[in-house]
Amino acid sequence: MHDERPSVRTLDREQVRLAQTTLRRVRDEVEKVIVGKRDVVERVIVAILSEGHVLLDDVPGTGKTRLARTLTRSLGGAFRRIQFTPDLLPGDVTGSLVFDQPAQRFVFHPGPVFANVVLADEINRAGPRTQAALLEAMEERQVSAEHESHPLPRPFLVIATQNPVELEGTYPLPEAQLDRFFLSTTVGYPELNAERDMVRRFQRVDPLDAVAPVVSPSEIRDLIGLAREVHIGDAVLDYVLAVVRATREHAEVQLGASPRATLALSRAAQSRALFDGREFAIPDDVRAMAGPVLAHRIVPEIRAELRGRTRRQILDEVVDQIPVPVEDDLATAMVTSDG
């Protein structure tokens, strides 16, 4: 009987090895500045490979801006920082039409969103219209002005920050807008030894000055294409579906993860596999990325919030309750790759 399933080995082993080497060089370059936060750095790299955007929900001074600047410099791309304030207008983000007197016509002047990495600092301090303008650009990867579309550069990554402590005078992102962020994570305070190392590194010079481009934007686009070709076996895909659907059925969840979240989790598993030098995704990829990709997309029941239960705690419980597949596809993939 003819087996019509797609071949497990979708990528050439040498391609994957070279991609892994390149991606780890990017990580190592970023770690010249960002000390003791390897998991955060790797998650942001996974977001880039997945063409997703990142929400950093963290207190000031933990290195969010420096992370974005260092990453941009290692990618050889353009960086822009937008400080969100209540008086910021949509045109201040996306750009606006300006009348050109000599030409007697309106000309579009691109805003700061036209960059490879955009830091949207304290996004919840701007009004809903300005937030919506950025989120539309994130989703559509273009800006429209007077019926004319202006494509954004590729790669295009938005790193948005929120301060979870100072909430007075802010405009919290609605759930539908949170869902547009590929993953959410925190930088957090460093461990003692990492903080000591950080002080020593910054004592005389700024290590950011020594960060050099490791790849070009065009090479990143090639890596994004490779990540999309990473194989996801039926058992791993079923595991993704089981985790996402379980968020919709959990007793403490009012609103579960959307189908957009299913796509995001599967792409995150592909990108993490490529980062680890594999042509195929495994259940560990799904487990590792489930929290960052799904936690901000669920809405807990009020009684759960009153008991102090966080989204991440509920999501971790959901993942722990789903049996991890022991799959024939994975064994076949390993044999094929080794052979």
Side-chain angles (χ1 to χ4, degrees), residues 45-65:
I45 292 174
V46 165
I48 293 173
L49 288 175
S50 306
E51 293 195 285
H53 306 287
V54 178
L55 178 64
L56 295 179
D57 198 11
D58 219 334
V59 296
T62 52
K64 300 182 293 294
T65 301

Side-chain angles (χ1 to χ4, degrees), residues 288-317:
M289 297 308 303
V293 171
L294 299 181
H296 65 288
R297 302 174 190 264
I298 65 174
V299 180
E301 290 281 359
I302 294 178
R303 62 178 183 275
E305 293 182 326
L306 291 175
R307 294 206 306 271
R309 296 269 283 165
T310 65
R311 299 183 188 212
R312 187 58 187 264
Q313 288 173 335
I314 296 172
L315 198 281
D316 288 344
E317 184 177 288

Side-chain angles (χ1 to χ4, degrees), residues 163-203:
N163 183 346
V165 179
E166 295 180 6
L167 299 178
E168 185 177 352
T170 63
Y171 302 84
L173 293 173
E175 303 305 327
Q177 294 187 359
L178 283 174
D179 193 38
R180 295 181 185 275
F181 284 96
F182 181 79
L183 63 82
S184 176
T185 188
T186 61
V187 178
Y189 295 120
E191 299 291 337
L192 175 61
N193 290 336
E195 195 162 10
R196 179 184 289 110
D197 186 19
M198 179 196 69
V199 173
R200 290 300 185 194
R201 291 191 193 187
F202 282 81
Q203 195 165 10

Side-chain angles (χ1 to χ4, degrees), residues 80-147:
R80 296 289 184 273
R81 177 180 178 271
I82 308 172
Q83 180 63 54
F84 277 66
T85 56
D87 60 347
L88 192 72
L89 298 175
D92 297 329
V93 174
T94 60
S96 57
L97 290 171
V98 177
F99 188 72
D100 186 336
Q101 190 71 34
Q104 289 293 297
R105 63 186 180 89
F106 284 95
V107 179
F108 179 72
H109 282 213
V113 76
F114 285 82
N116 296 113
V117 179
V118 176
L119 178 65
D121 216 355
E122 296 187 295
I123 188 175
N124 55 334
R125 291 203 175 277
R129 287 183 63 237
T130 304
Q131 291 177 0
L134 174 65
L135 290 160
E136 182 179 357
M138 288 164 50
E139 182 73 13
E140 303 297 333
R141 298 185 179 273
Q142 65 179 23
V143 170
S144 297
E146 287 295 319
H147 309 295

Side-chain angles (χ1 to χ4, degrees), residues 20-99:
Q20 181 191 30
T21 300
T22 300
L23 293 169
R24 291 194 173 183
R25 285 176 58 207
V26 172
R27 180 197 65 191
D28 294 345
E29 198 71 15
V30 174
E31 286 188 325
K32 291 180 179 179
V33 178
I34 307 301
V35 184
K37 295 297 176 182
R38 174 163 290 188
D39 57 339
V40 178
V41 174
E42 291 184 354
R43 286 171 188 168
V44 176
I45 292 174
V46 165
I48 293 173
L49 288 175
S50 306
E51 293 195 285
H53 306 287
V54 178
L55 178 64
L56 295 179
D57 198 11
D58 219 334
V59 296
T62 52
K64 300 182 293 294
T65 301
R66 198 160 283 271
L67 169 62
R69 285 187 180 276
T70 309
L71 181 68
T72 308
R73 186 165 295 187
S74 69
L75 299 178
F79 171 79
R80 296 289 184 273
R81 177 180 178 271
I82 308 172
Q83 180 63 54
F84 277 66
T85 56
D87 60 347
L88 192 72
L89 298 175
D92 297 329
V93 174
T94 60
S96 57
L97 290 171
V98 177
F99 188 72

Side-chain angles (χ1 to χ4, degrees), residues 3-10 231-239 278-283 325-338:
D3 187 354
E4 296 183 352
R5 291 181 303 174
S7 173
V8 172
R9 187 173 184 177
T10 57
H231 178 72
I232 296 186
D234 290 342
V236 175
L237 179 56
D238 289 343
Y239 186 46
R278 283 179 279 105
E279 307 99 303
F280 51 89
I282 60 176
V326 179
E327 27 149 358
D328 293 337
D329 282 356
L330 179 57
T332 303
M334 289 180 174
V335 171
T336 304
S337 298
D338 292 340

